[in-house]
Amino acid sequence: QVQLVESGGGWVQPGGSLRLSCQASGFTFGFYAMHWYRQAPGKEREVVASITSAGSRTDYAEDVKGRFAISRDNNKNTVYLQMNSLKPEDTAVYYCNPEDVLWARISRVRYWGQGTQVIVSS
């Protein structure tokens, strides 16, 4: 069974930094691109960062470019999100998830982990 365990969230002041981790299991991690998503209260879940299977390319939502950095360690089956210069509007629950093709290949509905809460306030 696919397992996704996010950690590293917490409370930070505006301008602060936080590093999130996502430990994955139950699939061949190094074969799939990974995404970080976030969902703020009352809002739709959105993609904030993506990384290819080997970590050679990354992509970011416009409002986090220059502030967030996604990376991965395939030997540890872990993807990271370094968040700098945090703003109150970054407050959300953050989730990791593999690319769509994994779920199609294993004939399963996308599974979401519990996520990790990030609160940015003064």
Side-chain angles (χ1 to χ4, degrees), residues 2-7 20-27 29 34 36 73 76-80 96 111 113:
V2 173
Q3 297 289 324
L4 302 164
V5 182
E6 300 92 345
S7 62
L20 308 184
S21 297
C22 169
Q23 180 187 311
S25 61
F27 63 101
F29 183 79
M34 293 293 294
W36 279 99
D73 185 338
K76 296 180 179 179
N77 285 8
T78 302
V79 61
Y80 305 94
C96 65
Y111 163 83

